[in-house]
Amino acid sequence: AQDRFLADWRRLNVMLTRARRGLIVVGNAWTLRRDPYWAKWLDWCERHSVTIDAKELHDAVGAAVRSEETPKKAKVILRQLFDYESVPPAAKGFKTFAQRDLNGAE
């Protein structure tokens, strides 16, 4: 079953067009490609060489956490990403979070 939040092209449009300074999307490309709108966007990203794989992301986040110049608030968020990455997929509960907090559903 498709996730209603991710499959709604209007929400995708708002997400992609409202960013003021930049946009980082973290997701599973294989899963997102199942939706034609996400597939088109991912194709655009790949043509413009603005995608990175999980290892590159992990390395960049690790470097930022270790850097003396990274603000403390940013380090807290980055460490949370690392912690979340190490949790088994079944325990993450993102679908529940997305339905309850993002979609306003159950």
Side-chain angles (χ1 to χ4, degrees):
Q2 282 188 325
D3 185 288
R4 290 176 294 165
F5 180 79
L6 294 176
D8 186 339
W9 66 269
R10 294 168 295 201
R11 290 183 185 194
L12 175 62
N13 180 50
V14 168
M15 179 190 72
L16 297 176
T17 60
R18 295 289 156 72
R20 297 270 188 246
R21 295 180 185 214
L23 176 69
I24 298 173
V25 175
V26 178
N28 183 304
W30 183 86
T31 301
L32 292 173
R33 283 192 178 285
R34 294 171 57 192
D35 178 86
Y37 298 106
W38 279 100
K40 286 180 183 180
W41 184 73
L42 287 168
D43 289 343
W44 181 91
C45 289
E46 288 173 359
R47 281 194 313 274
H48 291 84
S49 301
V50 294
T51 59
I52 62 172
D53 65 20
K55 183 179 179 340
E56 291 171 309
L57 175 64
H58 191 271
D59 292 347
V61 170
V65 167
R66 292 186 299 275
S67 172
E68 299 274 333
E69 296 176 20
T70 304
K72 287 182 182 182
K73 281 186 173 183
K75 286 185 179 191
V76 169
I77 293 169
L78 293 170
R79 284 190 184 107
Q80 289 171 343
L81 282 173
F82 271 141
D83 291 344
Y84 187 78
E85 184 180 81
S86 65
V87 174
K92 290 182 180 177
F94 179 76
K95 186 171 184 175
T96 302
F97 162 76
Q99 288 175 337
R100 184 188 67 231
D101 297 336
L102 300 177
N103 266 347
E106 305 170 22

